[in-house]
Amino acid sequence: MSGHSTYNPQNPVLKWFEARLPIVGLIHSSFVAYPTPRNLNYWWTFGAILSVMLGVQIITGVVLAMHYTPHVDLAFNSVEHIMRDVNYGWLLRYMHANGASMFFIAVYIHMFRGLYYGSYKAPREVLWMLGVVIFLLMMATGFMGYVLPWGQMSLWGAIVITNLFSAIPIVGEYVTTWLWGGFSVDNPTLNRFFSLHYLLPFMIAGVVGLHIWALHVTGQNNPTGVEVKSTSDTVAFTPYATLKDGFAVVCFFIFFAWFIFYTPNYLGHADNYIRANPLQTPAHIVPEWYFLPFYAILRAIPSKLGGVVAMFSAIIVLFFLPWLDTAKVRSAKYRPLYRYFFWIFVVVCILLGYIGASPPEGLYITVGRLLTAYYFLHFLVILPVLGLVEKPLPLPASITEAVLGPNHGGVSVVPSSSAAAPERRA
Amino acid sequence: MATPSLVEPTRRDFLYLATGAVAVVGAGAVAWPFINQMNPDASTLALASTEVDIAPIAEGQSITVKWRGRPVFVRHRTAKEIEEGKAVPLSDLVDRAARNPNIDGGDTADATDQNRAAAGKEQWLIMIGTCTHLGCVPLGQAGDYDGWFCPCHGSHYDTAGRIRKGPAPENLHIPPYAFTNDTTIRIG
Ligand code: HEM
Ligand code: FES
């Protein structure tokens, strides 16, 4: 969304239009001529996958809303009506419900990609923080969407999550009453959740716009973590990135379709096909899989306020990550110690998810506490210290050198010695 | 305004500030209806009280009734449960407040068994069946203290509905209620 457009229309109508609203030029400079690092791997296709999934959720959601009724007496039946009566309703609903899971799979991969390659470091701090904002909005959207079918998990998930706010000292009770519009999760709650569930994806789309804007100001990071130095380090977005992203989206859609057509309820919970009953809690409440690690952190702390604070901190800490990581080298490829800690952290997050799905008793509690402690230790102790003690491996002089070997270090444009020297010292 | 240290505040500065202040108040006044519309509406606030016939509840049985969209437990306690409830010294309690609006000093009175059970009818225990942790409905006659156990995150309540172990911070709350005769209570 920045840089000089090389778009130069010859057609008189396009010329006339471009002089009045240069939007075609903007698209051209952002998605056609835009230079992308030549060494991007498939982990870089998840941004495109995420954009496509947002589109999928919005389109399927808008059509579901044509058949859905946000009322406690009618919501559950209207979802069954979508499943049984509406033409292709089953398909639209399964696309939307599984689409939410796919969206989160993609966002987690996208975020871990950023962690591995140090994409959050200067000058991409704002880009990263906008990503965390998108993540928060997605969590709110997914949570409110899950309430809409008004099954047992919908209701009890909503009760447990909204009650988190009752932990706030003094005003907690007023806040929950205000959120509910009553004294419990009831019709006013469902009604407003539907309204907000409709709104938030469009807010996400807005923040995605800012995210891409920030990306195009700083340029993309890449697997070496070395900044682009010459035109030989990049290739044009179209056709290179467009086609690679397109191919990745098609592969992702195959994975997505497998869930829709072969195991559409695998990622959901059977109890959500039982109509909501405010007098009976299901024996085992679990949130959607994508919230499980955070749910485990909530339960690890044996105090109400403490648990809530820990859970929110687990996300808030991500905002500070660019400053907590003191290492100058971005990519884990050149950080021999961080590479191990990264993978330990991935395993810890997956185990936290497992603990979040297990009953809160016995060994699960102890293990959950240890993992929670490690989660925070990673950000607050390991990352700051690692940057000071770790000795990074020598960096390539340029992306071109990393791809083609040492004799090609960007010779075509800048003398390799002058451009390469500062990076080698890092 | 550019070099405030050299220039006396002028009438124009005052007008800027005054205009700004009025704009802030105006914005707040407009925002309030949009915030307050989310609070409970008149029809929700007007929810009637609930009458419960407790004659059919034998000793050792409980029922759950719905009041204000929430479950209320009405339990006919056994002699053993009452005894267990009485045997607990206050110093063992996590939350020492009775949480009973039907007695003097509601939230400040001690959480003795007597202050939790119905006045003069210690076999009856009437409580809002919402875990004070995150709002699940605890299961009756379960957990380490013979009272209620919340399966959501593992809170244990004793035979007087007092929190003993787990993440819940408070005893189960008691709703406002009254006996209209020996076998009927009105909740709310
Ligand atoms: C960020 C994008 C979105 C996410 C992550 C998301 C997530 C969800 C989830 C998890 C459900 C519950 C599915 C189920 O278990 O049945 C749901 C339901 C629903 N969503 Fe969305 N949604 C998104 C966008 C939208 C949009 C833009 C609309 C437009 C109005 C919409 C309308 C609905 C409706 C009507 C339902 C209830 C029907 C059903 O349960 O299938 N959603 N959403
Ligand atoms: S809601 Fe009861 S223990 Fe959490």
Side-chain angles (χ1 to χ4, degrees):
Chain A
M1 292 200 181
S2 68
H4 301 286
S5 176
T6 51
Y7 176 67
N8 214 341
Q10 298 306 314
N11 179 309
V13 178
L14 287 179
K15 249 185 171 139
W16 178 90
F17 189 72
E18 191 68 5
R20 283 152 183 84
L21 180 67
I23 191 169
V24 183
L26 177 69
I27 292 170
H28 185 268
S29 64
S30 308
F31 300 107
V32 180
Y34 184 73
T36 64
R38 65 189 291 168
N39 59 338
L40 296 186
N41 57 33
Y42 273 101
W43 300 117
W44 262 265
T45 60
F46 281 87
I49 291 172
L50 282 163
S51 309
V52 171
M53 287 313 297
L54 179 61
V56 168
Q57 288 307 93
I58 290 181
I59 293 167
T60 53
V62 168
V63 295
L64 282 173
M66 296 181 187
H67 307 279
Y68 169 81
T69 315
H71 188 281
V72 286
D73 295 334
L74 303 169
F76 186 82
N77 283 350
S78 77
V79 171
E80 283 311 301
H81 159 77
I82 290 172
M83 293 299 287
R84 292 155 198 251
D85 304 339
V86 175
N87 301 329
Y88 292 105
W90 60 272
L91 178 63
L92 297 168
R93 171 158 183 257
Y94 280 155
M95 283 168 86
H96 195 77
N98 287 285
S101 284
M102 296 302 125
F103 204 166
F104 276 94
I105 290 177
V107 87
Y108 281 131
I109 294 177
H110 191 69
M111 292 169 79
F112 278 117
R113 185 281 318 260
L115 292 180
Y116 188 84
Y117 293 110
S119 301
Y120 47 84
K121 293 187 194 183
R124 299 186 181 80
E125 303 93 324
V126 171
L127 172 61
W128 169 261
M129 289 158 81
L130 286 168
V132 181
V133 171
I134 294 172
F135 180 52
L136 282 170
L137 288 172
M138 277 177 66
M139 293 177 94
T141 310
F143 161 65
M144 291 198 245
Y146 197 62
V147 177
L148 302 184
W150 207 243
Q152 272 289 67
M153 282 297 165
S154 298
L155 173 66
W156 289 98
I159 291 177
V160 167
I161 301 299
T162 51
N163 262 302
L164 294 177
F165 293 94
S166 71
I168 305 170
I170 304 168
V171 294
E173 209 169 310
Y174 299 100
V175 173
T176 46
T177 307
W178 178 74
L179 285 174
W180 293 334
F183 303 102
S184 56
V185 173
D186 212 328
N187 195 50
T189 327
L190 176 60
N191 227 175
R192 65 191 53 179
F193 277 17
F194 178 56
S195 170
L196 294 173
H197 184 69
Y198 208 133
L199 167 71
L200 288 189
F202 295 93
M203 293 181 62
I204 295 178
V207 184
V208 168
L210 295 178
H211 189 70
I212 295 176
W213 186 5
L215 174 73
H216 286 195
V217 170
T218 60
Q220 283 160 289
N221 185 27
N222 67 83
T224 64
V226 174
E227 288 293 336
V228 167
K229 288 173 182 148
S230 70
T231 47
S232 78
D233 288 345
T234 64
V235 291
F237 193 94
T238 301
Y240 298 96
T242 335
L243 283 180
K244 190 169 184 169
D245 285 346
F247 178 67
V249 167
V250 169
C251 294
F252 194 77
F253 273 179
I254 294 173
F255 178 67
F256 181 17
W258 182 75
F259 277 97
I260 298 175
F261 294 106
Y262 290 95
T263 178
N265 290 302
Y266 179 73
L267 297 167
H269 200 294
D271 279 34
N272 222 27
Y273 282 102
I274 303 170
R275 186 193 297 266
N277 176 1
L279 297 189
Q280 194 190 29
T281 308
H284 189 179
I285 297 191
V286 275
E288 299 98 297
W289 69 265
Y290 37 85
F291 294 136
L292 289 174
F294 299 104
Y295 195 56
I297 291 175
L298 167 78
R299 297 196 301 190
I301 314 290
S303 116
K304 180 165 160 176
L305 183 60
V308 174
V309 168
M311 189 183 75
F312 283 111
S313 310
I315 301 169
I316 301 303
V317 74
L318 295 175
F319 280 110
F320 297 96
L321 177 59
W323 296 276
L324 288 169
D325 184 347
T326 50
K328 293 282 174 291
V329 171
R330 291 197 188 91
S331 172
K333 209 167 164 183
Y334 304 102
R335 297 187 59 190
L337 293 179
Y338 174 67
R339 203 185 304 161
Y340 291 112
F341 284 105
F342 170 83
W343 286 111
I344 294 172
F345 182 68
V346 172
V347 172
V348 165
C349 290
I350 293 171
L351 288 178
L352 273 172
Y354 178 78
I355 295 290
S358 309
E361 52 198 34
L363 197 60
Y364 292 126
I365 298 184
T366 322
V367 175
R369 288 189 183 152
L370 291 174
L371 292 171
T372 301
Y374 187 86
Y375 181 98
F376 287 103
L377 214 64
H378 177 84
F379 288 108
L380 300 178
V381 178
I382 296 175
L383 286 185
V385 172
L386 214 52
L388 304 177
V389 301
E390 182 182 47
K391 189 173 173 324
L393 304 175
L395 288 173
S398 70
I399 294 172
T400 311
E401 186 194 282
V403 177
L404 299 179
N407 297 327
H408 297 80
V411 268
S412 55
V413 175
V414 258
S416 59
S417 52
S418 63
E423 291 284 357
R424 284 210 193 279
R425 261 191 282 124
Chain B
M1 293 285 269
T3 47
S5 53
L6 300 177
V7 184
E8 285 287 303
T10 62
R11 213 160 72 147
R12 181 155 300 200
D13 292 337
F14 172 78
L15 285 174
Y16 278 145
L17 284 176
T19 314
V22 171
V24 168
V25 171
V30 173
W32 180 243
F34 287 84
I35 295 169
N36 194 33
Q37 55 82 21
M38 278 176 65
N39 272 319
D41 59 30
S43 69
T44 307
L45 290 173
L47 274 190
S49 50
T50 307
E51 296 238 331
V52 190
D53 176 12
I54 57 170
I57 311 171
E59 186 176 318
Q61 286 185 333
S62 6
I63 62 162
T64 305
V65 295
K66 201 167 150 186
W67 174 70
R68 277 184 162 185
R70 292 178 155 193
V72 170
F73 297 150
V74 182
R75 170 138 190 96
H76 193 163
R77 299 193 296 172
T78 62
K80 177 166 165 280
E81 288 171 347
I82 299 169
E83 227 167 85
E84 281 173 8
K86 285 187 166 162
V88 183
L90 275 180
S91 54
D92 278 7
L93 296 178
V94 179
D95 174 20
R96 297 211 193 155
R99 310 277 167 206
N100 182 356
N102 305 299
I103 59 172
D104 282 343
D107 274 358
T108 47
D110 285 338
T112 56
D113 190 80
Q114 191 195 1
N115 280 345
R116 298 273 306 161
K121 297 187 171 63
E122 60 178 13
Q123 71 274 33
W124 292 105
L125 182 63
I126 294 143
M127 312 181 290
I128 298 179
T130 303
C131 180
T132 59
H133 182 224
L134 297 175
C136 292
V137 180
L139 304 169
Q141 289 61 66
D144 295 354
Y145 298 88
D146 260 2
W148 284 263
F149 171 68
C150 182
C152 289
H153 318 98
S155 287
H156 299 254
Y157 297 90
D158 68 12
T159 57
R162 296 171 295 198
I163 179 67
R164 302 297 295 278
K165 201 169 100 183
E170 291 173 11
N171 301 327
L172 288 175
H173 289 201
I174 291 174
Y177 67 88
F179 277 81
T180 48
N181 60 45
D182 265 2
T183 61
T184 312
I185 51 172
R186 196 185 60 237
I187 305 171

